[in-house]
Amino acid sequence: MSTTRPDKENYYLDIAQTVAKRGTCIRRVFGAIIVKNDSIVSTGYAGAPRGRKNCCDMQFCMREKLNIPRGERYELCRSVHAEQNAIIAASREEMLGATLYLACIDYKTGELAEGTSPCQLCRRMIINAGIERVVVRDTATEYRVINVEDWIENDDSLTGQLGY
């Protein structure tokens, strides 16, 4: 057993990465957890709405079949995003001032996907939920911290910058 203790950010990112393993998307497998006052409030992974067939079970992705680039045409995606599922599972009071941890695994390679970030719709939901920070895993030990206030001040919906 390793005696190296991970820092808190990587501890929570490890949990988000484990949550991602439940994901059913066949493009990118995301996991998210919301943490407030050092307690996990909720978790979420990318997958089809309850009762609908999952892409991994159907072995089919409409966005992939149509060769749609990342960040575009999410209305064709079967999945509810990991961030959205985590937000749905928590009360607003629990999310006010909280941190959302996000990890992404490439479905085909099983490797961590560097440089990911929440899409525009998820950013809007994170803002409205009252979440203060988003921590995104890039490698097993490296991550980025995003202050949600920056998304409010630098409104990407006006510039056309896309996430995911």
Side-chain angles (χ1 to χ4, degrees), residues 45-65:
Y45 55 85
R50 294 186 203 301
R52 288 192 174 176
K53 291 182 180 179
N54 293 305
C55 293
C56 65
D57 298 327
M58 298 184 325
Q59 290 297 303
F60 177 78
C61 171
M62 180 61 76
R63 290 179 68 235
E64 196 164 85
K65 180 181 179 184

Side-chain angles (χ1 to χ4, degrees), residues 123-153:
R123 288 179 188 193
R124 284 180 256 163
M125 292 180 74
I126 290 166
I127 291 167
N128 268 10
I131 293 168
E132 193 171 282
R133 296 179 332 134
V134 176
V135 180
V136 183
R137 173 161 271 174
D138 283 321
T139 70
T141 58
E142 297 172 327
Y143 54 85
R144 287 170 284 122
V145 178
I146 302 163
N147 292 313
V148 174
E149 185 65 33
D150 292 342
W151 289 341
I152 296 168
E153 291 175 17

Side-chain angles (χ1 to χ4, degrees), residues 68-85:
I68 296 171
R70 287 183 356 189
E72 297 178 18
R73 305 290 314 270
Y74 283 118
E75 73 276 9
L76 297 175
C77 179
R78 295 186 64 77
S79 290
V80 176
H81 291 182
E83 305 95 316
Q84 296 167 348
N85 275 321

Side-chain angles (χ1 to χ4, degrees), residues 91-102:
S91 71
R92 178 149 164 81
E93 293 79 28
E94 292 174 307
M95 292 185 288
L96 289 172
T99 299
L100 185 142
Y101 292 86
L102 185 66

